[in-house]
């Protein structure tokens, strides 16, 4: 039986360890036959990903890229282009960062530096990576970009603070990028994941209480897994989603539809 992603060349960013949402995406993409490349930040992550790939007997190059640096982004896509013979069918943007002390207490206390930092790492990285990826996706006659967002972009989630505001900007960027890149048949979408216990999430004060609330009140009465988020990322990267762009798709066991919870 033909696999959904056979012949598709996909870059996965943001795998920090086996709990990362991006790892859920990589596993789903691999299952459906995609050719993968990974980008990581720093030696420790490279070591983690190398080990994961060995355990899974998955052969794929790992490139280093600190996405706060334009030159490193350009170098990354140059390497990716070389690896995939000048073309790329899609990439997963699974990158976000805010200072831990901005992820507790009142939003009103957000510092100017903390505001700029959260937006630079969590939003601008998508914009800049999309720009660097564009020629490779044009060479592939189209492509698909998927980023990760969270409900705190449109509702007030205690302690999520500046990251919620950054996710709102990220979702707006998805729409603007989708409009820019649509004529090139490049689609841009976001997956809004329910809370999952990852390293990035552990920086948010009261995160365990968020998980409990989801288990008690989401229609499916449970939390979402990285495998389930990965399957929706796979869908958006695949030809099944060929007419879907500029969207935010919730994968949160239905939590976002509830009223007062
Ligand atoms: P994670 O800690 O496993 O992954 C975050 C990744 O961001 C790491 O790999 C880290 O290296 C990368 N990163 C941060 N700054 C970077 C930079 N300058 N350059 C390159 N990479 C950088 O956590 P995760 O929860 O898997 O996070 C992935 C995405 O999912 C984030 O955008 C996060 O906001 C989003 N998300 C997470 C949840 C959740 O509950 N875990 C829910 C919704 C959305």
């Amino acid at each position: 039986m033909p696999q959904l992603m056979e012949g598709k060349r996909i870059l996965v960013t943001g795998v920090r360890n086996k709990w990362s949402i991006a790892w859920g995406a990589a596993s789903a993409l691999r299952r459906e036959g995609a050719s993968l490349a990974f980008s990581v930040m720093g030696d420790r992550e490279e070591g983690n990903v190398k080990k994961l790939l060995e355990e899974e007997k998955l052969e794929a190059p790992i490139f280093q890229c600190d996405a706060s640096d334009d030159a490193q982004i350009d170098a990354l896509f140059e390497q990716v282009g070389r690896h995939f013979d000048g073309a790329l069918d899609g990439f997963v943007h699974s990158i976000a960062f805010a200072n831990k002390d901005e992820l507790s207490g009142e939003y009103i206390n957000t510092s100017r530096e903390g505001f700029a930092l959260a937006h630079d790492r969590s939003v601008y990285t998508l914009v800049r990576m999309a720009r660097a990826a564009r020629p490779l996706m044009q060479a592939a006659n189209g492509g698909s970009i998927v980023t990760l967002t969270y409900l705190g972009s449109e509702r007030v989630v205690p302690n999520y603070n500046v990251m919620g505001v950054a996710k709102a900007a990220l979702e707006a960027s998805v729409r603007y990028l989708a409009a820019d890149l649509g004529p090139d048949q490049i689609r841009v979408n976001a997956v809004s994941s329910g809370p999952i216990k990852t390293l990035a999430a552990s920086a948010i004060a009261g995160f365990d209480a968020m998980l409990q609330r989801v288990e008690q009140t989401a229609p499916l009465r449970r939390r979402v897994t990285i495998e389930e988020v990965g399957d929706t990322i796979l869908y958006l990267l695949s030809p099944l989603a060929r007419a879907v762009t500029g969207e935010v798709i919730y994968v949160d066991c239905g939590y976002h539809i509830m009223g007062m919870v």
Side-chain angles (χ1 to χ4, degrees):
M1 210 168 88
Q3 288 176 299
L4 201 50
M5 298 299 285
E6 219 167 288
K8 298 283 184 202
R9 299 144 290 191
I10 308 289
L11 170 70
V12 179
T13 71
V15 180
R16 195 199 295 267
N17 51 41
K18 66 177 177 184
W19 295 285
S20 294
I21 292 175
W23 184 242
S27 307
L29 288 161
R30 189 223 183 161
R31 191 184 70 226
E32 291 298 334
S35 295
L36 299 179
F38 292 84
S39 88
V40 297
M41 191 171 72
D43 294 337
R44 190 155 69 170
E45 277 190 16
E46 183 174 350
N48 287 348
V49 174
K50 210 169 156 214
K51 219 173 116 202
L52 279 174
L53 298 191
E54 279 166 11
E55 282 168 13
E56 295 298 319
K57 298 189 175 29
L58 168 53
E59 273 183 36
I62 307 169
F63 304 114
Q64 284 204 16
C65 174
D66 178 340
S68 66
D69 179 350
D70 288 352
Q72 290 194 38
I73 290 178
D74 289 335
L76 168 66
F77 283 94
E78 219 180 282
Q79 288 170 297
V80 167
R82 238 178 288 134
H83 176 71
F84 285 135
D85 295 328
L88 182 68
D89 298 287
F91 77 89
V92 182
H93 174 272
S94 193
I95 293 173
F97 184 78
N99 281 330
K100 193 171 171 22
D101 56 8
E102 311 275 2
L103 300 173
S104 64
E106 293 183 318
Y107 172 65
I108 201 169
N109 292 324
T110 305
S111 68
R112 188 178 295 273
E113 297 72 30
F115 186 93
L117 181 77
H119 284 72
D120 179 71
R121 304 301 149 86
S122 314
V123 189
Y124 190 70
T125 52
L126 173 70
V127 181
R128 191 58 181 77
M129 285 181 144
R131 191 154 90 226
R134 186 184 208 168
L136 296 177
M137 292 187 173
Q138 284 169 328
N141 296 318
S144 173
I145 300 171
V146 180
T147 187
L148 273 304
T149 186
Y150 176 61
L151 179 64
S153 62
E154 52 179 286
R155 310 269 172 83
V156 175
V157 174
N159 303 314
Y160 201 61
N161 296 351
V162 70
M163 191 54 88
V165 178
K167 291 299 192 193
L170 181 74
E171 291 172 20
S173 294
V174 163
R175 292 184 282 273
Y176 278 92
L177 291 171
D180 286 347
L181 297 175
D184 289 331
Q185 302 308 308
I186 300 169
R187 300 179 293 104
V188 189
N189 292 286
V191 172
S192 186
S193 167
I196 298 179
K197 217 172 165 107
T198 61
L199 211 65
S202 65
I204 304 159
F207 187 75
D208 286 344
M210 277 160 80
L211 291 175
Q212 271 177 18
R213 207 159 44 245
V214 168
E215 283 173 351
Q216 288 159 3
T217 57
L220 299 183
R221 295 289 191 279
R222 63 176 181 83
R223 320 172 191 170
V224 72
T225 65
I226 62 166
E227 289 77 18
E228 290 166 333
V229 177
D231 278 345
T232 298
I233 296 170
L234 162 71
Y235 154 71
L236 286 169
L237 289 168
S238 82
L240 293 179
R242 61 196 176 277
V244 180
T245 194
E247 281 301 322
V248 177
I249 298 187
Y250 283 87
V251 182
D252 67 347
C253 297
Y255 182 76
H256 73 284
I257 68 166
M258 300 304 287
M260 293 293 286
V261 289

